[in-house]
Amino acid sequence: MSMTRRAALGSAIAIAAGAGTAAAAGSGTRPTGTPLLWREFTRTPFTHPQIPYIGRAGCRGGAVPLPRRPAVADVRDFGAVADGTTDSAPAINRAIAAAGRAGGGTVTIPPGTFRIDDVIRLDRSNVILKGAGSSRTTLYATKNLTELIGTYGSRYGGDKSGWSWAGGLIWLAPKARWASLVAAIRAKAWPFEGWTGNRRDEWRPLTRVAPARRGSWTITVTDPSPLRPGALVLLRLADDADHTLLEHMCGGGPGPEAYFWDDKTKLTSYVPYEWPVRIARVRGRKVTLERPLPLDVRPEWNPQLTTHVPELTGSGVEGLTLEAAETPQQPHLLDKGHNGVVLQCAYDCWVDDVTVRHVDNGFGLVSASACTLRRTRVTGRGTHHPYFCREGSHDNLIEDFTIEERTGPAPSNTQLHGINVEGLSSYNVWSRGDMRMGTFDSHRGLPFANVRTDITLNNNGRHGGDASAGPLFGARFTHWNIRVTNARAGLVRIDGLAPYSATVGIDEVREFDQIDVPDFTGDLHTRLELYGSPHAVRPRNLHAAQRAL
């Protein structure tokens, strides 16, 4: 091989950081603005203690051109009318169903305003719902999810509305899974929302997995016969009585070992950890995965590959605005469900060039993995969760996103979070963002190994999270090149909060308003570099640089 490893890394840095910086790196000197952390990462990209490997996040491993499919249906042929008064939801849903029966394809929505009085259900794989552009095609939603489906309570009790964190007026989810969720909500049997059904019992084991280390792309299984290249499986890791899996998610060591886990009942309800992944290759008992392992695999966690509810895959929403009827924002956790676009039990799906306006909650990932949200925008009267990522969502990419300032003052007792992550969600990326309001909402429930990079933020929101959901952060959170316009530290500078974390290239900030203390005692093993110098950091975008590697 003619190119040395050092030269290959120098080439990658050149792509990510610019030729001048790369030339200095190639000469063996550290150029101004290139953190020591980056140089370390290039040597151990899959196992670095503070920075997660997120170079494969997103649909089809983060592919830049999203899939394209031939047009097979026009919603006007099924009765949709762009007059702003005719209910076009039945016609749009009929067009989606027809495309699904045809084996997939693109359903087109021409320019204009189409009224919808029901949920748009993108519930068939390989179907794209495509408008003429977010500035040209509008779906005007007249009703909320409480009206359309019913009251949705919390499985953890209280009077909270589940529509505060679940469900969308455009809802991407497999047909059978959507039907089972709606049936459970109407029966007031508040469901689990993930890959193994409303009671987390719709799975069967495929094979045991031998011990392996985080970052490995290949695993050894007991029985390879049920496995096929291209198949989607769940890696399922249970916890033990000493909660060593949860400790491992936090980096291990004295701090997590001293933490009291037993009363964190909401957190422990999220376990087992379920990670969907496609099989790339099977050779004997050796199985290669399309992404490296997110965690160690240890015998005490009963590691196995399992089945799951059938996924939605290869589907997307593009080129439209979803506008809800403008109503006042509801008190915190009492949202009616004027929600935007949600992907649930979806894999290799996407949203591109979509705006949501006047919504309670904007774009959601609920047990969704390997999905891309690109060129999305939240605007209008103010939003509880502009973006939410929860219930074990992994390996997603949210890039080129905007949260606009609200168009009116916030009513009392309402809440603004921002870009939310919770519920053991891991290896998600928020990249190239313009956040004119909100915050980096780590919402307890032990999310870990998530990245926020190349974002401008007016940090005026607050995080949430029930105490029974446990820690705000697990290990390997990274904030890289964050421009904070109002100097507020909360949940942006995390070197005093998150274990085994990295805060690189952020503006100087100070504590005010919501002030947090670390969940773990002792040394957090965190890193802080280029503090006060976001414009100097190279590479500027951690996700783009990892892809270049």
Side-chain angles (χ1 to χ4, degrees):
M1 184 173 180
S2 61
M3 180 177 285
T4 66
R5 174 175 172 80
R6 179 179 295 275
L9 292 177
S11 175
I13 293 171
I15 295 171
T21 301
S27 68
T29 62
R30 184 160 68 94
T32 301
T34 301
L36 179 61
L37 272 162
W38 174 247
R39 291 166 65 87
E40 292 175 359
F41 179 83
T42 59
R43 292 192 289 270
T44 59
F46 308 127
T47 58
H48 193 276
Q50 279 89 15
I51 299 178
Y53 175 73
I54 41 80
R56 296 277 295 168
C59 175
R60 297 191 174 184
V64 174
L66 293 168
R68 293 289 175 261
R69 296 197 169 84
V72 296
D74 184 316
V75 297
R76 293 172 296 186
D77 295 335
F78 292 82
V81 181
D83 59 5
T85 58
T86 301
D87 177 16
S88 293
I92 296 171
N93 285 326
R94 284 195 297 268
I96 292 170
R101 289 192 298 271
T106 298
V107 174
T108 59
I109 311 177
T113 297
F114 295 82
R115 172 174 167 163
I116 57 170
D117 295 345
D118 201 355
V119 177
I120 301 302
R121 301 184 301 278
L122 193 56
D123 54 8
R124 270 68 169 193
S125 289
N126 301 313
V127 174
I128 301 171
L129 182 64
K130 185 177 180 64
S134 59
S135 63
R136 303 182 67 203
T137 298
T138 296
L139 303 184
Y140 179 69
T142 62
K143 297 183 179 181
N144 59 56
L145 293 167
T146 300
E147 295 174 282
L148 295 172
I149 295 174
T151 300
Y152 186 2
S154 169
R155 65 177 183 258
Y156 303 105
D159 61 352
K160 302 169 185 175
S161 167
W163 301 125
S164 301
W165 57 77
L169 292 168
I170 299 179
W171 200 332
L172 290 81
K175 184 177 181 180
R177 189 74 188 99
W178 189 85
S180 71
L181 287 164
V182 169
I185 292 165
R186 287 175 172 162
K188 302 190 184 306
W190 315 128
F192 285 90
E193 299 158 274
W195 287 99
T196 50
N198 295 339
R199 293 187 295 273
R200 299 196 75 177
D201 58 359
E202 294 181 46
W203 62 276
R204 59 180 176 81
L206 294 171
T207 181
R208 298 265 305 169
V209 181
R213 297 301 301 272
R214 174 174 66 89
S216 300
W217 293 72
T218 300
I219 56 176
T220 302
V221 300
T222 303
D223 178 14
S225 63
L227 308 179
R228 297 289 182 272
L232 186 69
V233 296
L234 284 186
L235 172 66
R236 193 171 192 270
L237 301 177
D239 204 1
D240 58 15
D242 294 326
H243 301 295
T244 60
L245 175 62
L246 298 178
E247 291 172 2
H248 175 56
M249 291 174 178
C250 300
E257 289 171 4
Y259 186 80
F260 189 73
W261 301 95
D262 287 342
D263 64 347
K264 308 303 186 295
T265 52
K266 188 172 184 179
L267 171 61
T268 54
S269 77
Y270 297 146
V271 182
Y273 176 79
E274 296 171 337
W275 183 61
V277 65
R278 287 199 194 280
I279 295 171
R281 185 172 63 198
V282 181
R283 289 189 176 175
R285 293 173 55 221
K286 299 290 185 182
V287 177
T288 302
L289 308 174
E290 69 171 347
R291 290 176 172 81
L293 285 176
L295 295 164
D296 288 353
V297 171
R298 301 179 187 174
E300 56 265 36
W301 302 331
N302 189 26
Q304 52 189 312
L305 299 181
T306 77
T307 62
H308 51 84
V309 297
E311 72 276 10
L312 181 78
T313 189
S315 294
V317 178
E318 301 179 0
L320 57 84
T321 289
L322 173 65
E323 180 174 344
E326 187 172 1
T327 58
Q329 187 177 349
Q330 294 296 301
H332 190 219
L333 297 176
L334 297 179
D335 297 348
K336 298 293 186 182
H338 297 92
N339 293 350
V341 183
V342 166
L343 297 86
Q344 185 161 4
C345 296
Y347 196 95
D348 278 338
C349 292
W350 67 93
V351 178
D352 184 31
D353 182 28
V354 172
T355 294
V356 295
R357 181 177 293 120
H358 301 321
V359 293
D360 293 335
N361 300 280
F363 295 90
L365 297 158
V366 182
S367 292
S369 292
C371 294
T372 294
L373 276 60
R374 181 176 295 161
R375 299 188 298 165
T376 55
R377 181 178 295 264
V378 180
T379 185
R381 51 87 156 149
T383 303
H384 180 192
H385 295 98
Y387 292 82
F388 57 96
C389 177
R390 52 178 295 274
E391 205 78 8
S393 289
H394 314 294
D395 304 300
N396 297 295
L397 173 62
I398 301 95
E399 62 181 359
D400 300 307
F401 66 95
T402 301
I403 303 173
E404 293 189 357
E405 290 184 60
R406 62 189 312 136
T407 53
S412 63
N413 197 28
T414 60
Q415 193 57 271
L416 164 64
H417 292 314
I419 51 175
N420 156 277
V421 62
E422 59 182 288
L424 301 186
S425 296
S426 63
Y427 295 86
N428 302 289
V429 183
W430 291 262
S431 170
R432 296 195 301 265
D434 180 8
M435 296 178 60
R436 303 169 198 174
M437 63 178 191
T439 193
F440 289 178
D441 175 33
S442 295
H443 206 95
R444 301 200 177 273
L446 193 56
F448 65 94
N450 297 286
V451 168
R452 291 127 170 181
T453 183
D454 196 6
I455 296 171
T456 300
L457 166 66
N458 179 29
N459 190 14
N460 63 358
R462 296 172 66 86
H463 79 74
D466 193 294
S468 67
L472 280 169
F473 300 94
R476 295 182 302 286
F477 259 81
T478 301
H479 291 172
W480 188 287
N481 185 12
I482 308 299
R483 287 90 57 186
V484 185
T485 62
N486 63 343
R488 178 172 174 242
L491 294 187
V492 175
R493 180 174 174 175
I494 56 174
D495 56 295
L497 289 175
Y500 290 92
S501 66
T503 306
V504 179
I506 71 166
D507 279 307
E508 290 189 12
V509 290
R510 65 185 187 276
E511 294 286 0
F512 61 90
D513 192 27
Q514 189 175 36
I515 298 173
D516 290 292
V517 297
D519 290 294
F520 305 109
T521 57
D523 187 355
L524 293 177
H525 303 281
T526 63
R527 303 279 291 275
L528 176 69
E529 286 196 67
L530 290 176
Y531 179 53
S533 303
H535 298 286
V537 64
R538 298 293 185 272
R540 292 187 58 78
N541 186 294
L542 183 60
H543 172 251
Q546 288 200 22
R547 283 188 57 78
L549 282 177

